[in-house]
Amino acid sequence: MALLLDLPNELLFQITIYLTHHDIFHFLRANRRLARLLQTAQFDHLRRFRSVDHGRRALFHAAAREDTATVAELVRIGAHKFPGSRIHFLNSAIQNWCSAKTISIFLRCGIEADGTDTRGRTPLTIAARKGRADVVEVLLKVEGVRVNAQCHNGKTPFMLAALAGRTDVVRLLLEDERVDVGLRDTMPNSCTVLWKAVEIGHRKVIKLLLDDGRSDPNFLSNGQTPLHCAIQRGHPEVVLLLL
């Protein structure tokens, strides 16, 4: 490495022409001086080859270093949405448990908060279903974010959080006046979130919904109220909540 660092900058740049992105990436991590010198080479390589994996890896590592200038430049050249990407970048970041701080950096650097994947899921949808309350809180602060966005089966972030028993996320979403708790999905025999939560037996979620007061405890699905459903499903604690 010492011999490499002794080379003139011009020669180092020339060498990068013959390197793969993988090699450039490891050079960038090996030494701060190389990182500063070869960053332009990394950008050029990404522009030429437009590799989904390399683009995302570069973004993740730059954000982990809190290098917002590099993240912004990578976003500018489209590293987060190179052709062949089937999953929205932020969805992937949330699924891979990137921290809320990292997600905030991506948002500040221009990655859209409402992009969808092939199933119509937004980052808020993924974060809610995964129980990522910290990320949900970040996304709710984004101006204009679609809090009631419905994916291909009609489910919203609120529905998915409730059905997964994510009480922290449900509580956060109930505190946001933009959230429509009465929306129903587009599946056959569609019913309310409260009814589905009763069917599953998520007692803590049910209590949150009842305390909120906007969910109809008498909604009929196939001729049954949530109370009938709780009795039939054998959820005695839920029955007591509904009485």
Side-chain angles (χ1 to χ4, degrees), residues 176-197:
D176 193 310
E177 61 184 16
R178 297 170 297 175
V179 174
D180 186 347
V181 302
L183 271 179
R184 292 158 59 185
D185 62 32
T186 55
M187 302 293 286
N189 299 320
S190 175
C191 55
T192 64
V193 174
L194 176 61
W195 209 100
K196 290 297 291 184

Side-chain angles (χ1 to χ4, degrees), residues 12 48 81 109 114 163 232:
L12 283 172
R48 280 187 288 143
K81 54 182 180 181
C109 290
D114 268 341
L163 300 185
Q232 187 179 64

Side-chain angles (χ1 to χ4, degrees), residues 8 16 19 23 28 39 45 81 85 92 94 117 119-120 135 138 151 163 221 225:
T16 62
L19 297 178
D23 293 331
L28 287 169
Q39 202 163 67
H45 195 282
K81 54 182 180 181
S85 175
S92 175
I94 293 165
D117 61 18
R119 294 165 63 182
V135 175
V138 167
C151 54
L163 300 185
S221 177
T225 65

Side-chain angles (χ1 to χ4, degrees), residues 132-143:
R132 300 288 312 274
D134 54 345
V135 175
V136 168
E137 193 168 6
V138 167
L139 290 166
L140 289 176
K141 292 176 182 176
V142 177
E143 186 177 355

Side-chain angles (χ1 to χ4, degrees), residues 217-239:
N218 297 310
F219 177 86
L220 293 175
S221 177
N222 293 326
Q224 288 189 323
T225 65
L227 179 58
H228 293 140
C229 176
I231 294 170
Q232 187 179 64
R233 292 281 176 171
H235 300 313
E237 292 182 342
V238 175
V239 170

